[in-house]
Amino acid sequence: MFAASLSTHRLDRMAIGLSGLCLVHCLASSVIVAVLASGGALLGNEMIHEGGLLVAMLLGGLSLVMGARQHGFMMPGAIGGLGIGVMGGALALPHNGEEVIATMCGVGIVALAHKLNLIAGD
């Protein structure tokens, strides 16, 4: 019901925006943790990371599935699935630099998939 009211283009654009916010969050968290240990507690909170990744993974998956149904091109979904898998794998890593790098790689791959989804829909 909710998905029917949103176009694939809108979902892809929202997902790309969320990917950008995720990258900003990861970079800001790393800088703040390095500079101010007390400020890192808020941005580096695992609940923010896990909740944000869950929302990003769900939104990304929904958008990519809708796009594949709409235009029939499976490559964005396959690339997005890889990125979502990397993001999910990042949740299993310790909350340190390795996890941030894995998250950023996964987010970048998913953002590429959304861009391909937009191109395929045109």
Side-chain angles (χ1 to χ4, degrees), residues 23-119:
L23 288 174
V24 169
H25 166 77
C26 289
L27 292 172
S29 296
S30 298
V31 169
I32 289 176
V33 166
V35 175
L36 303 170
S38 61
L42 176 64
L43 285 176
N45 188 327
E46 288 184 36
M47 291 301 292
I48 291 174
H49 172 74
E50 291 170 3
L53 272 181
L54 178 63
V55 170
M57 291 165 68
L58 291 173
L59 180 64
L62 175 66
S63 174
L64 292 167
V65 166
M66 287 177 59
R69 285 184 178 167
Q70 206 172 53
H71 52 66
F73 189 51
M74 298 300 293
M75 188 187 315
I79 291 172
L82 171 67
I84 290 170
V86 172
M87 290 166 63
L91 291 172
L93 295 173
H95 200 67
N96 61 19
E98 295 172 15
E99 169 260 347
V100 170
I101 292 169
T103 299
M104 291 172 53
C105 288
V107 166
I109 293 168
V110 172
L112 170 65
H114 286 297
K115 183 63 177 173
L116 292 172
N117 210 30
L118 284 170
I119 292 168

